[in-house]
Amino acid sequence: MSTSELTNVEQRSLEFLGYVAARADNPMTTIWGPYRCFDGYALALLATGDLSGARAQIHDTIEMIEENFAAERADPNYKWHLADFAIHPLLRAWLLYGQTTFQEDQTWERVLNTARTFLLHFGDLSENHNLLHLSLRYLFAQVDGDAMMIDGRPASIHGIEAKSSILEWLDKWTRRGSSEWGADIYYNINFLALYNLVDFAADLEVASLARRTLDLFFFDMCADYFHGAIIGAARRAYSCYRIDLACSPVRPLLYLYLGPHRPDVPPEDHFNLNFIGGAIQAALSHYRPPIAALRLARLQGECCSGSTHQVALWPGQSFLSKRTYRTRDVALSSACAPGGKDGRYTEQLVQATLGERALVFMNHPGVKPHWKEDDGLADAKGKWETDNPVSHGHPLWFHGNCPPGEPHGTDIRPGFWQGNGHGPRTCGFGRMALVIFNIDPVDPLPAGHAWFPREQFDEVVSCDGWHFARKDHAFVALWSSVSTQWQKVGVWKNIELQFSQAKSAHVIVVGCALTHARFNDFIVAAERMHPSFNESDLLLTSDAIDRKSRPGLSWNSGPTLDGEAYQPRMARLWNPLATLSTGEVEIEIYDQ
């Protein structure tokens, strides 16, 4: 990377803050409230000097928080709202601008009172929410340790308790991994707390551990960096952001630190308004990722990276590993995951990516798609532009395929493309991955399918169970053990590749100009892999595309290599520039 790419973060941050401030009237909303409130647009307005707009945003945000708390008091089960997203930008706004603005009114007192009376939760939420609540307790104790918080205890007590819990959260995430790995949204949400801890924690132990954790987050994201977004296998992923990389919530964040992913791409093409609170805080933070992580994102040759998460993700599985193969032109990321039905709501287990919209992944739909001929969706197929929006500005976001909290009841997990009703068994081997579906035949949707948008590729060739595609100098091949057919009508015409049976096996492999001189050479090499699926034993084997090994995958016993059991468990983090051993806390960096 050039020096200018590494040092121009401030200018890119100003560009992004200006972009957000200019769209401060964003009408997008969720069932919990407007994006502009929980993402902290007030910070962008304060940074760009629009004090009147910032004041209005702050008060709107507080009203959103109060409405969510009123709903939670009426029904304690209504605790999965986004007040904790919103409070961290408000706290940062006070810490940055509280001594210089709004001295003539009660704006900041209202912010502090909202933090003081916040309905705290103590470990009964999911990973990202738990961190937000812990960090709020800790940081507010620094602001006013004598204040009595909502449960009647001094903030100082909350701060002491929260410090211990924060250190435990950070330590576990570093040593053992995450239950929300690979999640562009939830990484941004964790950043709401982590940037505040790095910038404002008075305790050096908390600040330094938060910084170390941020470093690990960025090594994780940069290993999966492609076309300005992250394309890695993930347990918490939303397909609405996967089908078009320009929609990824981390795309603005990565632009701040890495600059444009191509020199001909203007800044605004890297920006969006999808759960961007973490990016707004990044633009106002002194934190910078390790240079080695940024260089990892920019590696030009073949790059293999991986990670292990030593957490109970599914019954009988105590760890999960992910492998990502990436070049400048193509990427394939896959998890080693067991098959089954439970806990498969938002996982993205295998994804081949050749371009922003040229990608292939598979899932078992958990819900049938619903659309009406008169709502524009029937005409949306292939129209990736946003001049004919169907939900939050993207023509292919709809029932079962929407952002979290979509206000019309269409955020369904698992959905048609999102997560899995019955999760496949998967494992990756370099630039190939093996997939087995074993779906209950009485399931309402007794077969899997693949996202394979033919019109986004330059060439598509189908023959003898294979589907091949080329985008520029990148290639992908998908083999299926069962007959397949393209959807011929409706929204998913020539996008959905349907599998014909409940039990099916698939091989996906990628290549590019680095591995094959021509697309036809790649096709010939793939056809010589000779995949084979024993349906009764649920055993899939195939030669590697270089013919040097024969990987396999058994539904019952897991992956094999050349007929022997294969252990995919790896270090907590590994890539060409850094390693973190499982159970350790210090990242060993090979290149600065």
Side-chain angles (χ1 to χ4, degrees), residues 31-228:
I31 60 174
W32 307 292
Y35 275 65
R36 65 180 181 271
C37 289
F38 59 70
D39 270 348
Y41 287 21
L43 275 170
L45 291 166
L46 284 165
T48 55
D50 184 352
L51 299 186
S52 176
R55 181 189 289 108
Q57 289 277 6
I58 290 170
H59 288 287
D60 283 350
T61 299
I62 293 173
E63 289 172 11
M64 183 198 81
I65 292 174
E66 291 173 346
E67 289 175 5
N68 281 317
F69 284 166
E72 184 180 355
R73 289 189 179 97
D75 178 5
N77 291 319
Y78 185 83
K79 61 182 180 180
W80 300 99
H81 50 70
L82 303 188
D84 49 357
F85 290 22
I87 192 65
H88 277 273
L90 289 183
L91 194 58
R92 174 173 283 263
W94 181 81
L95 289 165
L96 288 176
Y97 302 103
Q99 305 305 312
T100 57
T101 60
F102 309 146
Q103 302 302 305
E104 71 283 3
D105 60 31
Q106 299 299 307
T107 295
W108 295 123
E109 179 54 37
R110 194 177 180 197
V111 168
L112 294 178
N113 187 61
T114 301
R116 184 180 302 115
T117 59
F118 200 88
L119 291 186
L120 291 165
H121 284 265
F122 299 91
D124 60 332
L125 300 171
S126 60
E127 184 177 292
N128 63 90
H129 289 286
N130 286 335
L131 177 63
L132 294 176
H133 283 250
L134 292 172
S135 300
L136 171 63
R137 293 166 63 201
Y138 172 81
L139 290 167
F140 184 73
Q142 291 186 176
V143 173
D144 188 355
D146 296 328
M148 301 300 288
M149 298 195 77
I150 191 67
D151 63 355
R153 294 185 299 167
S156 57
I157 299 300
H158 281 273
I160 293 170
E161 293 176 349
K163 175 187 173 181
S164 174
S165 297
I166 287 170
L167 295 179
E168 181 181 4
W169 193 102
L170 298 174
D171 188 71
K172 285 184 176 179
W173 205 97
T174 301
R175 293 179 189 271
R176 300 185 59 195
S178 166
S179 61
E180 297 174 341
W181 48 272
D184 43 13
I185 284 181
Y186 296 108
Y187 282 10
N188 259 7
I189 292 164
N190 287 324
F191 291 159
L192 295 172
L194 291 173
Y195 279 113
N196 277 350
L197 293 174
V198 166
D199 290 335
F200 302 116
D203 190 297
L204 292 180
E205 183 181 17
V206 173
S208 63
L209 290 181
R211 175 178 292 276
R212 184 194 67 193
T213 304
L214 270 178
D215 290 349
L216 182 54
F217 267 104
F218 276 95
F219 271 110
D220 183 60
M221 289 195 298
C222 288
D224 291 336
Y225 177 85
F226 189 78
H227 280 253

Side-chain angles (χ1 to χ4, degrees), residues 446-461:
H449 62 176
W451 176 273
F452 203 133
R454 295 177 67 175
E455 295 175 8
Q456 297 300 320
F457 296 96
D458 299 326
E459 291 184 69
V460 176
V461 177

